[in-house]
Amino acid sequence: MTLYEAGNLTTSTTLGFFIAEMVRHPEIQAKLISEIDGKWSGITAESSNEEIAAAIQGMKYLDCCVRETLRKNPPVVIGMKMPTRDIILGGYGVPKGQVI
C-alpha cells in the first residue's frame, strides 16, 4: 500500500489530510466504506496474514483515494517557488516573495 512508502511523520500528515478529504466529500467516503465493507466482510480474527493482505490489496478505490490525497496534499514539498514580482495565479493575487 502507498502509505508504507512514507515515514512516520509523513504518514500521520497524510492520514490527517485523508480524513479531512473524506469529511469534505461524503459521497466519496460512502463509496469507500462500501468497498471496505465488501472486501473486509470475510475477514475474521482467525484470518491468515495472506487473506488480510489480499483483502487490503483488493481495495482499489482506497488506493486511489490515498494516492489522490498524496497528489493534492504532498506531505513533503519539494521545489517550492517564489515569484520575483506580484503575479496572478489561478485567479489569485500572489505577492512578490510569497512562497508557493
Side-chain angles (χ1 to χ4, degrees):
M1 178 145 211
T2 305
L3 289 179
Y4 291 121
E5 297 170 9
N8 187 6
L9 181 60
T10 54
T11 300
S12 63
T13 301
T14 299
L15 286 173
F17 281 124
F18 179 82
I19 291 167
E21 291 292 338
M22 292 301 104
V23 169
R24 274 185 239 145
H25 301 284
E27 70 286 356
I28 293 173
Q29 181 183 14
K31 185 174 177 180
L32 183 57
I33 289 170
S34 177
E35 179 186 65
I36 292 169
D37 286 345
K39 299 289 184 182
W40 205 252
S41 63
I43 302 299
T44 66
E46 291 78 34
S47 294
S48 69
N49 288 342
E50 291 80 16
E51 292 169 318
I52 294 169
I56 293 170
Q57 290 174 350
M59 296 181 195
K60 302 300 181 196
Y61 193 66
L62 173 61
D63 188 55
C64 289
C65 290
V66 171
R67 289 178 186 274
E68 180 65 3
T69 299
L70 288 167
R71 184 191 70 79
K72 289 178 69 177
N73 308 285
V76 178
V77 178
I78 299 172
M80 296 168 55
K81 306 292 184 191
M82 187 181 307
T84 57
R85 59 182 171 79
D86 293 347
I87 61 170
I88 302 296
L89 184 63
Y92 296 95
V94 180
K96 174 183 174 180
Q98 175 67 48
V99 176
I100 303 174

